[in-house]
Amino acid sequence: MAKAQILIVDRDQGFAGSVAAHLKSWGYAVAGVVSSPEEAMQKVEETQPDLVLLNLGLVGEDRKGTIARQLKERLQDRLLYLVENGDREELRRAKITHSFDYLRKNCDSRELQTIIEMALYRRQLEGKIKGGKAAADLPKETDRDQSLLGALQAERQKLYQVLDTLPAYVALLTQDYEVPFANREFIRRFGAPEGRKCYDFLFGRTSPCLNCETYKVLATGAPQEWEWTGPDSRHYQIYDFPFPDIDGSPLILEMGMDVTVLKEKEAQIQEMAAALRRSYEELEARVQDRTQELSQSNAALQNEIAERLWSEKKLQESEERYRRLVDQSPDAISVQSQGRFLFVNPAGVRLFGADHYRDLVGKAVPAVIHPDFREFVTEHICRVNAEGARTELQEIKILRPDGRVVEVEASGVGINYQGQHAVQVMLRDITRRKEMEKELERQASFPRLNPNPVLEADTAGNITYANAASFAALEKLGLKNRTRAFLPRDLPKIVRTAAATGESLFYREVEINGAFFGASIHFPREFPVIRIYARDITAQKLAEMARQESLAKLRASEEELQASVEELQVQSEELEAQAEELLEANQNLSEAHDALRESRDDLNRAQAVAHTGSWRLDMGRNELLWSEETYRIFGRQTGTALTYEGFLACVHPGDREYVDQKWTAALGGEPYDIEHRIIVGDMVKWVRERAELEFDPQGQLLGGFGTVQDITALKEVEETLQSSRDFLEIANRHNEMTPLLMDYLAAVKELVGCEAAAIRIRDEQGNIPYEAHAGFSEEFVASESPLCISSDQCLCINVIKGATDLNL
């Protein structure tokens, strides 16, 4: 049988010569070595080769595609393309997807021989099918085909085992929507197909999905990449490849990478960037509005200053009047804020036993309260959290510096004192009253001799006893024998309260025909009676009423004064604010700049979180401003003078021309949204830059706003995805284990940057039928023992027994 003739078309004479030498050593005839498609056409006419090895780059140089089209029409199935290692995009555009339709130029001799043999064998099989074959030759060819088919099936099974170890899901789909293979990750996520159609076990449908992206591969014959939301609501980056079955029928090889977390991060970054921009624009608008308000207030400032002087005079007069009323008050008055005294009147100085009000101002309030009441007082003061809020009248004890304990009645009201929230507390010394009550209790034990009314009643309110003092008091008031007059009106309620709570002593004030009696109502535990001990407090009550009237007038005056104080305080604050704003406006609007600076600090912190900086260009002022995050991203010191040339110096040398071209195009009105590398110290970063430029009606640049986002982490994720896809493409390209392992080994070394690596595969009997290594010395490889799991007793071998069939 004549040797197969092979024509080589490549400009690299060294490579072409090496391929020719290998072909000759394997028994093939080399029809020629040429360097252009034109020469190839001529050589094809002369030699009629069985196979043509054509450099795909030469086809790309044929702009009109005339010669390339003629070669394809003439040669049809006799073309085998030679490609560089990174020419995947060229293969996609040329719609070359089958692993045996192209040959990598950096492949080893074993892969070269395999692909050439398969190409020639396919052509031979296709020739048999088209032209027929002698009956005598069919049995031999059939045996050979069956042997080759068995080998292919074995290699394909090993390939499936490799795919089972990938972290992404991988599945093969037929034209009729069946899934003949799904790796472990696919089954873990979606379950086993178990012979059902993909649309059935994934989505519970009875018919195929409309416009299924996956099956577009069969129509285009080219790989594709797209995104998909699975039935588990996760987001996947999908890679689909045309994949021939062993019998040549078309399949789809699909790989899916879970990118849910990546999508969520991208959405968060976009939302943060939009929020940052809105915040910046709102801040700019507020600064402009505030500047306009300051300018408008400047004209009225002189009149307002005059009004302020008049208001201050009125305030001084009101304060003096209020001060006199407070100083002359017989009750102690203090003002407290945040637990400390701010003011104490003379009566308060005397009550607290101090020598001067300065001894109390600034002192902690709990220091003058008896320890038994400190927590109670602190809680009640804290409740007065608003202006005008009041506390109920309470009895407490204070502790003087000399150790004397004084009982007082206290009440508080929330006020505004010198621009801050405070509590005004009024205190009255009730030591004398308490002593009298004690004395009354002592005298009550002798009702007949008690000079004060003493009465006893049943629980229904019927008087069962009244002493002589009771009748004398009633007779004096013209109410002879009307002893029920000493009973308080709410006596039934008191009786119910005593029965429910067990409380035995109550106090009420009872008015009898213009006179006032303080009635202590006692429920003795020994008898089911009520005892009333009354004391004439008419003089005290009248004095108290007079004091309350004075106090009401004082409070009315205080409220009027407080209102005046508040009004004047507001006017004073407004005038002071306007005066300060005017002064600050005349000093380059420093207040507005401070507010802007605070907002920019917030903006800078937010940009640091989002790894997104910003810049602003003002051509009118000839200013280029970078945010702090932009300086950090570019590794420049904040405040460094900025020029366009300085920016380009930070750009990676391989990207500078591209960045400069895009910026020049943006100045001409084109969108500016690019990704490129920058050099920061010893690091290489990836950034994404966007810009919106502003032009006047004549097309002149006025300025612009832009953002810079550090996308280094995103690029690393993309590189990881690309690495997984590279491994899948390697698996798709091989039907034999040895070249597959060599390609995997080269990819692993390139990925992790190691100097030496090795891969071993164990079969079901524990032997190692396949292995690949690179970077190790021959002595090391020769000394390495090919251990057998089924027979050797090495500890490391015993450890891996019972594991999966595939051990790398």
Side-chain angles (χ1 to χ4, degrees), residues 606-805:
Q607 288 186 353
V609 173
H611 300 293
T612 302
S614 62
W615 55 266
R616 185 78 179 179
L617 175 64
D618 189 338
M619 296 301 294
R621 298 181 180 179
N622 194 24
E623 289 182 348
L624 175 59
L625 303 176
W626 276 8
S627 69
E628 291 185 4
E629 183 61 16
T630 305
Y631 278 106
R632 284 193 290 270
I633 290 174
F634 280 85
R636 302 289 295 275
Q637 185 175 358
T638 303
T640 304
L642 304 172
T643 63
Y644 181 68
E645 291 72 20
F647 160 73
L648 281 181
C650 299
V651 177
H652 192 281
D655 295 343
R656 285 177 188 166
E657 182 178 355
Y658 165 72
V659 173
D660 187 56
Q661 289 176 353
K662 286 296 183 179
W663 178 252
T664 303
L667 295 179
E670 294 185 11
Y672 186 81
D673 186 349
I674 65 173
E675 295 179 0
H676 65 85
R677 296 166 293 175
I678 61 174
I679 302 297
V680 181
D682 297 331
M683 297 174 56
V684 175
K685 292 184 177 180
W686 276 91
V687 296
R688 181 181 184 183
E689 295 181 350
R690 298 180 178 176
E692 292 186 6
L693 303 182
E694 303 169 354
F695 301 88
D696 63 14
Q698 290 74 36
Q700 296 296 320
L701 180 63
L702 297 177
F705 175 87
T707 60
V708 180
Q709 180 184 0
D710 186 349
I711 60 171
T712 306
L714 294 178
K715 285 295 184 180
E716 291 175 353
V717 172
E718 291 178 0
E719 291 176 2
T720 302
L721 292 175
Q722 182 61 41
S723 299
S724 296
R725 190 167 66 179
D726 290 346
F727 278 100
L728 188 59
E729 289 181 356
I730 291 172
N732 185 37
R733 191 166 58 245
H734 293 286
N735 280 332
E736 290 189 3
M737 186 58 69
T738 300
L740 171 64
L741 292 184
M742 291 303 295
D743 270 7
Y744 269 164
L745 193 63
V748 169
K749 288 187 61 180
E750 181 180 354
L751 180 63
V752 302
C754 62
E755 296 183 358
I759 299 176
R760 281 184 169 181
I761 294 181
R762 175 177 67 85
D763 61 16
E764 295 178 352
Q765 289 73 37
N767 298 310
I768 303 176
Y770 298 100
E771 65 175 324
H773 56 82
F776 295 105
S777 67
E778 293 298 330
E779 293 79 4
F780 178 81
V781 173
S783 63
E784 188 69 10
S785 173
L787 298 174
C788 176
I789 295 176
S790 61
S791 58
D792 292 320
Q793 299 302 316
C794 177
L795 177 60
C796 61
I797 294 299
N798 292 327
V799 167
I800 64 174
K801 284 184 177 179
T804 59
D805 291 340

